[in-house]
Amino acid sequence: MKEVQKYPDARREEKLQAFDRLLTIMDQLRNLCPWDKKQTIESIRHLTIEETFELSDAILENDLEEIRKELGDIMLHMVFYARMADEQKAFDMADVLNGISDKLINRHPHIYSDVEANDEQAVKENWEKIKLKEKGNKTVLGGVPNSLPALIKSIRIQEKARGVGFDWDKKEQVWGKVEEEIQEFKTEEEAGNKEKATEEFGDLMFSLINYARFAGINPEEALEKTNKKFIKRFNYLESESKKEGKQISEMSLEEMDVYWEKAKKL
């Protein structure tokens, strides 16, 4: 193993005590609180998903204080799952933490072994190859969860394919594919072939996501920022027109556009 400089952490003992405190509180809640006693691994699943989206919102807003709070909520859920699994004699928090530590060591042979990886791409390729061996997947894409949202699934599919060398060489080639897909979609849409146009639109989105990857842009993050921007501007349009006694449903597009242009300058 290569010699690694230890991160100076004056609060390490305090962090360990804080984690022990959370484990203790979880024990108390599981034994004494009627609601916590009733929960199962399945029953809190939807709450975990909600907390994850709340963390995502805080990250997009770059709100570090809110990120701190949401990380605490998610940490609670992780401790909760481990406690319930421990009750079933399946695994406990020590198994969880040792498992992830072992995984990190195994997937970073350029740090903990003699493998060379001098750039980010080499690290990613090693990661995907090791992951494929660990999971015993019969196919490269076998590890992509079926339940992932389509946009995120596209990103993961493309990353995994790249991990084994199946990818374009230059982003100019990818843009050429985008232009090709635009034309194919336009042809089918203008012909009124909805089923084929839908298929071509999916191809177009996939190629745009691919280009975003080459450009170093996270397309999910980019789209969510646009969503938030649109909501902010539309809310301004709605509130400001209402102040002037106008009903948005009765306004023309030209009237709305006046407020929209003002909102863009805020």
Side-chain angles (χ1 to χ4, degrees):
M1 183 179 77
K2 299 180 177 68
E3 186 172 347
V4 179
Q5 184 177 0
K6 189 175 180 181
Y7 178 72
D9 189 356
R11 297 187 64 190
R12 175 60 66 90
E13 189 61 35
E14 186 178 347
K15 293 174 183 177
L16 294 174
Q17 290 175 359
F19 191 62
D20 181 68
R21 181 185 179 205
L22 178 58
L23 291 174
T24 300
I25 291 172
M26 185 74 258
D27 290 339
Q28 294 168 338
L29 295 178
R30 191 65 173 163
N31 282 295
L32 302 174
C33 174
W35 185 88
D36 288 279
K37 288 168 65 175
K38 186 178 179 181
Q39 300 313 304
T40 66
I41 288 177
E42 293 78 14
S43 71
I44 66 170
R45 172 181 171 275
H46 72 285
L47 298 175
T48 307
I49 294 171
E50 181 180 333
E51 295 294 354
T52 303
F53 279 111
E54 289 179 359
L55 173 61
S56 176
D57 286 344
I59 292 172
L60 288 175
E61 294 293 334
N62 196 28
D63 187 337
L64 291 177
E65 178 60 19
E66 198 61 29
I67 290 173
R68 178 189 67 80
K69 294 177 182 177
E70 298 302 339
L71 285 174
D73 290 340
I74 290 178
M75 185 66 72
L76 167 63
H77 281 240
M78 302 305 101
V79 169
F80 210 157
Y81 286 119
R83 167 60 197 246
M84 290 186 286
D86 193 8
E87 293 168 1
Q88 299 176 38
K89 308 299 182 186
F91 59 83
D92 61 17
M93 182 53 73
D95 296 320
V96 172
L97 298 178
N98 283 323
I100 188 60
S101 294
D102 291 342
K103 180 189 289 186
L104 289 172
I105 290 171
N106 188 50
R107 293 190 185 177
H108 290 80
H110 54 291
I111 302 297
Y112 299 101
S113 187
D114 56 359
V115 172
E116 292 295 328
N118 298 317
D119 57 37
E120 179 186 4
Q121 187 54 41
V123 172
K124 287 182 177 180
E125 290 176 3
N126 281 339
W127 181 282
E128 290 299 337
K129 290 174 183 177
I130 295 169
K131 188 175 180 180
L132 191 61
K133 291 180 181 179
E134 285 178 352
K135 290 182 174 289
N137 294 324
K138 295 181 179 179
T139 67
V140 172
L141 304 180
V144 180
N146 290 328
S147 59
L148 277 179
L151 194 152
I152 298 175
K153 186 186 290 187
S154 293
I155 299 170
R156 293 299 294 132
I157 287 171
Q158 293 172 13
E159 288 175 344
K160 284 185 173 294
R162 179 173 178 78
V164 293
F166 186 78
D167 204 3
W168 300 92
D169 294 320
K170 301 176 181 178
K171 69 178 182 180
E172 289 78 14
Q173 295 171 306
V174 186
W175 185 251
K177 187 64 176 175
V178 171
E179 293 179 322
E180 176 186 323
E181 297 296 352
I182 289 173
Q183 188 57 50
E184 290 179 358
F185 164 69
K186 186 177 179 182
T187 298
E188 297 297 341
E189 198 277 330
E190 290 179 347
N193 189 340
K194 186 174 181 181
E195 183 176 349
K196 191 64 178 175
T198 299
E199 179 182 334
E200 294 297 344
F201 188 74
D203 291 347
L204 172 56
M205 290 186 68
F206 193 86
S207 61
L208 277 170
I209 290 167
N210 211 359
Y211 187 80
R213 181 169 57 84
F214 270 80
I217 295 169
N218 184 307
E220 199 280 334
E221 180 180 324
L223 181 59
E224 181 57 16
K225 286 184 176 180
T226 295
N227 289 339
K228 288 181 176 294
K229 180 168 60 178
F230 185 92
I231 290 170
K232 180 180 178 181
R233 292 175 180 177
F234 193 86
N235 286 344
Y236 175 88
L237 185 165
E238 194 172 24
S239 63
E240 292 302 307
S241 60
K242 188 174 182 180
K243 288 178 184 177
E244 298 180 8
K246 298 178 181 179
Q247 290 290 332
I248 192 169
S249 59
E250 298 175 358
M251 295 169 62
S252 67
L253 185 58
E254 289 74 16
E255 290 177 300
M256 293 182 190
D257 195 51
V258 173
Y259 294 98
W260 188 264
E261 289 300 320
K262 291 179 180 179
K264 287 169 64 175
K265 297 177 182 178
L266 294 179

